[in-house]
Amino acid sequence: MFTAAGSSTGVELIRQFYVPEYTQAVNYNNDLLPLFGEPQDSGGDTAHRWKFHRGGNSSIEVYTEGQGQPAAGSQLWASGAVSYLAFRGMLQVTGHARAAMRSRWVNGLDAEAVLLRDDLVDLITRTYLGSSNNGLEVAVDLTTNYAGLTRSASSYMASYENSVNAEISYSNMATTWQTGQAFDYGARFDCILVPWNQYRRYHAISGQPGMKIFQPGDVGQDLAGLTFAGIPIKPINDMTTTVAIWLDRRPGKWAHMVHSATPEGDPAPGGWEVKDMGPSGDSDIIQIAYRGHLVCHDPLRQAKMTGLTA
């Protein structure tokens, strides 16, 4: 949440004799959402809702001539719902600051608005990655309830979870690859998310020193573009250091939803709601907000490795 920007608090943007623009000294995390494509508009409601086909018609059988008919059956269904999250930041600018921050090097007002959105993207990413608020570590899990459903009673949405409790190895990677893609789960993994420390640990067991013959000047060339069984391994900032998430991103498995709207009820451009909160003394107060969620429609086809040695 931003505090008020007066002519004194905005002093670093008022200077007239710095080099043009500014040096970005803050690291923002936007590693996750680009992996799930363009967001979809929610169309309204308070939550993202979908159906699980959880079982088939129980009346099917092999029968013989003259055998009596079984009772009719039906397909089995369940409903999931993930509530949208709302994120916001506040920008307050005094009249004095508005005049002073029109620097010929950095437009302080534009910078405040743009960077506030960057702050929010960082918060959104870390929230969607997390183990609360229906984040990624909740969506891809064996036991934690998700989408309003109790996993202990809902095997159709329980992800395969390999509790490793050891260093990452070929053996535990292969077990996850095999079990997650076998019939009970049926995943087709296309991306493995890992924190940076696990990326380095995986390289230690998968590096191919022979490749260095071709470029002897780059002894770290085999650190780039690591894969397992052809599946790209993607290092992600701010992930739990002892976890790896295996993704199946085939169409319909995930939904990157945006729930923001203009005052007229139309989808907000880019998902950003910009609202003038009215004056406060000689200040203008602006709220920049974003609403949405990253939703897993098919947790059964995802997998998780836990307890990896950090």
Side-chain angles (χ1 to χ4, degrees):
M1 194 72 72
F2 270 78
T3 57
S7 58
S8 58
T9 58
V11 66
E12 294 304 330
L13 291 176
I14 298 171
R15 307 296 193 202
Q16 289 292 312
F17 299 105
Y18 285 106
V19 294
E21 298 302 326
Y22 55 86
T23 297
Q24 179 54 273
V26 176
N27 291 324
Y28 292 109
N29 188 350
N30 190 24
D31 291 349
L32 183 66
L33 291 181
L35 301 175
F36 293 91
E38 291 297 315
Q40 308 168 46
D41 178 57
S42 70
D45 206 338
T46 59
H48 180 69
R49 305 177 194 276
W50 73 103
K51 292 290 186 181
F52 286 94
H53 178 213
R54 63 180 184 85
N57 189 316
S58 60
S59 68
I60 59 174
E61 66 177 5
V62 176
Y63 75 101
T64 59
E65 184 177 2
Q67 180 178 333
Q69 68 184 33
S74 64
Q75 302 297 315
L76 301 179
W77 303 90
S79 300
V82 171
S83 296
Y84 297 115
L85 299 178
F87 305 85
R88 69 179 177 181
M90 309 302 292
L91 179 61
Q92 180 175 341
V93 184
T94 67
H96 289 80
R98 186 182 299 277
M101 291 169 75
R102 294 184 298 111
S103 165
R104 61 192 176 100
W105 299 119
V106 178
N107 187 317
L109 298 180
D110 286 351
E112 286 285 349
V114 169
L115 294 174
L116 177 53
R117 288 197 296 268
D118 289 344
D119 288 325
L120 286 166
V121 168
D122 182 81
L123 174 61
I124 292 165
T125 300
R126 289 185 287 108
T127 302
Y128 286 1
L129 277 170
S131 57
S132 60
N133 293 305
N134 285 317
L136 190 66
E137 288 192 38
V138 177
V140 183
D141 198 77
L142 174 63
T143 58
T144 306
N145 297 342
Y146 181 66
L149 297 168
T150 303
R151 272 202 166 108
S152 60
S154 311
S155 59
Y156 55 88
M157 59 171 296
S159 309
Y160 172 65
E161 187 168 322
N162 186 353
S163 300
V164 175
N165 297 318
E167 291 188 4
I168 197 168
S169 67
Y170 166 79
S171 176
N172 52 51
M173 292 284 284
T175 296
T176 307
W177 175 84
Q178 175 188 344
T179 307
Q181 297 190 126
F183 182 74
D184 286 347
Y185 294 93
R188 293 297 177 263
F189 298 125
D190 58 25
C191 185
I192 304 170
L193 306 185
V194 296
W196 277 99
N197 65 314
Q198 297 301 336
Y199 188 84
R200 174 65 182 87
R201 282 186 172 275
Y202 175 74
H203 169 263
I205 65 170
S206 66
Q208 303 175 45
M211 293 175 62
K212 297 171 187 174
I213 295 173
F214 302 102
Q215 294 186 32
D218 183 359
V219 296
Q221 64 177 290
D222 55 331
L223 276 165
L226 296 182
T227 62
F228 182 84
I231 305 168
I233 297 178
K234 173 68 175 174
I236 301 290
N237 285 300
D238 293 315
M239 271 191 73
T240 301
T241 59
T242 57
V243 166
I245 303 288
W246 295 56
L247 299 179
D248 179 344
R249 296 175 297 168
R250 285 177 293 172
K253 304 298 184 188
W254 292 84
H256 175 195
M257 305 303 300
V258 60
H259 188 55
S260 303
T262 65
E264 294 74 29
D266 299 318
W272 297 109
E273 298 177 357
V274 180
K275 183 177 181 181
D276 184 348
M277 304 298 285
S280 175
D282 74 336
S283 300
D284 293 317
I285 301 177
I286 299 170
Q287 173 180 285
I288 298 180
Y290 183 93
R291 307 168 204 273
H293 218 315
L294 177 64
V295 180
C296 183
H297 284 166
D298 195 358
L300 185 68
R301 270 78 186 192
Q302 321 301 320
K304 178 191 284 185
M305 298 171 71
T306 61
L308 295 168
T309 301

